[in-house]
């Protein structure tokens, strides 16, 4: 069984809207080829703190990334660090804040757009900084990295859904259309990745309120989906709400590496051959 993981974090995609609009992915759920969970995001429900949560499995009170204004390297061990330490390759196509958390802060727009350095936590990276950089380009940046470097762990982070949500709100035509577009893009790539044996996780950092903001405690701001396509996870729709801190140790389990000592132990419903995460 493969130990390669592709993780797609669709920024700002709330649970209910993802369930309504991601048609092909829901087809995989309906035909017992994928699992669907509801994840409760950590607080504050903001992007930079939750990138750190997803990638290190630590909460803001531990890692100190408490706001979007925390421009510094993470002091925690991330999935990028762990893959590198275990002799695995990693790569990402992400918003530049991810580079600032794990490779260099502040981001140098001239030098850090494309990165290839196996000594860094993020070994292969393509980063963008314009909020309206097309989601299609982010996904193709990631696919180019996958085809060139064959990383064991690929982290993909498109921002378009968050941008439309913040401008128009979660109940808008524009927000729904952007999620539909993301579903169409993923429908083109998922069959390729599935055929090549990847474990695939699709989730979000936070949701979006009807007013076009996030950072608070409402369900719309905190509830996000987690779709999993993997032979190690039983397909189906699960009712148990998963803590967001369980994402990083789940990735470690799928990569077949040990989690960091700060990651939580959690029993994911449907995970085969493992009692706890």
């Amino acid at each position: 069984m493969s130990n390669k993981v592709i993780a797609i974090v669709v920024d700002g995609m709330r649970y209910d809207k993802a369930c309504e609009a991601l048609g092909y992915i829901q087809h995989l759920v309906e035909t017992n080829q994928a699992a669907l969970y509801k994840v409760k995001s950590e607080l504050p429900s903001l992007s930079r703190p939750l990138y750190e949560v997803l990638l290190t499995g630590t909460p803001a009170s531990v890692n100190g990334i408490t706001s979007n204004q925390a421009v510094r390297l993470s002091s925690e061990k991330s999935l990028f660090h762990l893959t590198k330490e275990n002799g695995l390759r990693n790569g990402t196509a992400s918003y530049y804040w991810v580079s600032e958390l794990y490779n260099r802060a502040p981001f140098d727009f001239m030098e850090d757009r494309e990165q290839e350095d196996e000594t860094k936590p993020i070994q292969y990276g393509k980063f963008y900084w314009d909020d309206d950089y097309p989601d299609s380009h982010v996904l193709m940046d990631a696919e180019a990295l996958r085809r060139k470097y064959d990383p064991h762990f690929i982290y993909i982070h498109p921002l378009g859904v968050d941008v439309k949500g913040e401008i128009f709100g979660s109940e808008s035509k524009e927000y729904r259309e952007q999620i539909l577009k993301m579903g169409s893009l993923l429908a083109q790539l998922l069959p390729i990745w599935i055929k090549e044996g990847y474990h695939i996780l699709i989730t979000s950092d936070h949701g979006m309120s009807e007013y076009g903001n996030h950072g608070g405690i409402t369900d719309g701001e905190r509830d996000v989906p987690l779709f999993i396509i993997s032979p190690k996870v039983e397909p189906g729709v699960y009712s148990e709400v998963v803590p967001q801190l369980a994402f990083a140790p789940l990735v470690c389990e799928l990569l077949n590496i040990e989690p960091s000592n700060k990651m939580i132990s959690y029993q994911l419903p449907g995970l085969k051959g493992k009692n706890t995460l």
Side-chain angles (χ1 to χ4, degrees), residues 229-249:
I229 305 164
S230 166
K232 293 188 75 169
V233 177
E234 288 285 355
V237 179
Y238 292 87
S239 59
E240 180 177 328
V241 177
V242 175
Q244 197 170 39
L245 291 171
F247 181 82

Side-chain angles (χ1 to χ4, degrees), residues 8 10 13 18-19 21-36 179 182-187 190 200 202 225-229:
I8 305 107
V10 182
M13 183 172 68
C19 290
L22 295 178
Y24 176 69
I25 298 170
Q26 285 285 31
H27 160 71
L28 296 177
V29 175
E30 285 189 0
T31 54
N32 289 315
Q33 299 177 71
L36 168 60
I179 298 174
M182 177 54 56
S184 177
L185 292 166
L186 288 173
L190 287 172
I200 302 164
I202 302 164
L226 172 60
F227 295 94
I228 302 177
I229 305 164

Side-chain angles (χ1 to χ4, degrees), residues 23-159:
Y24 176 69
I25 298 170
Q26 285 285 31
H27 160 71
L28 296 177
V29 175
E30 285 189 0
T31 54
N32 289 315
Q33 299 177 71
L36 168 60
Y37 302 84
K38 179 187 288 187
V39 171
K40 182 70 71 174
S41 84
E42 283 289 300
L43 293 172
S45 53
L46 295 168
S47 291
R48 197 187 298 251
L50 296 181
Y51 303 164
E52 176 79 341
V53 167
L54 287 163
L55 286 161
T56 70
T58 61
S61 55
V62 170
N63 62 49
I65 304 296
T66 59
S67 75
N68 284 340
Q69 286 68 47
V71 182
R72 65 165 174 82
L73 282 174
S74 168
S75 57
E76 304 300 325
K77 188 166 285 193
S78 72
L79 292 169
F80 298 116
H81 293 85
L82 290 169
T83 48
K84 176 176 171 287
E85 288 176 8
N86 282 273
L88 304 180
R89 295 177 302 281
N90 67 58
T92 185
S94 298
Y95 195 59
Y96 74 101
W97 288 1
V98 174
S99 178
E100 287 185 328
L101 280 168
Y102 307 111
N103 272 14
R104 177 160 73 170
F107 185 84
D108 187 304
F109 297 93
M110 297 286 189
E111 297 182 7
D112 295 346
R113 160 83 172 115
E114 297 202 10
Q115 300 180 38
E116 179 184 342
D117 187 342
E118 293 183 1
T119 69
K120 295 280 186 68
I122 299 173
Q123 296 168 315
Y124 306 107
K126 291 179 182 284
F127 299 96
Y128 63 97
W129 52 89
D130 285 333
D131 289 3
D132 58 357
Y133 186 72
D135 290 347
S136 58
H137 290 34
V138 179
L139 287 168
M140 287 306 116
D141 285 346
E143 181 63 0
L145 285 173
R146 186 188 74 83
R147 295 186 180 203
K148 184 174 183 179
Y149 300 110
D150 191 26
H152 297 84
F153 173 58
I154 310 174
Y155 184 80
I156 307 173
H157 170 236
L159 197 64

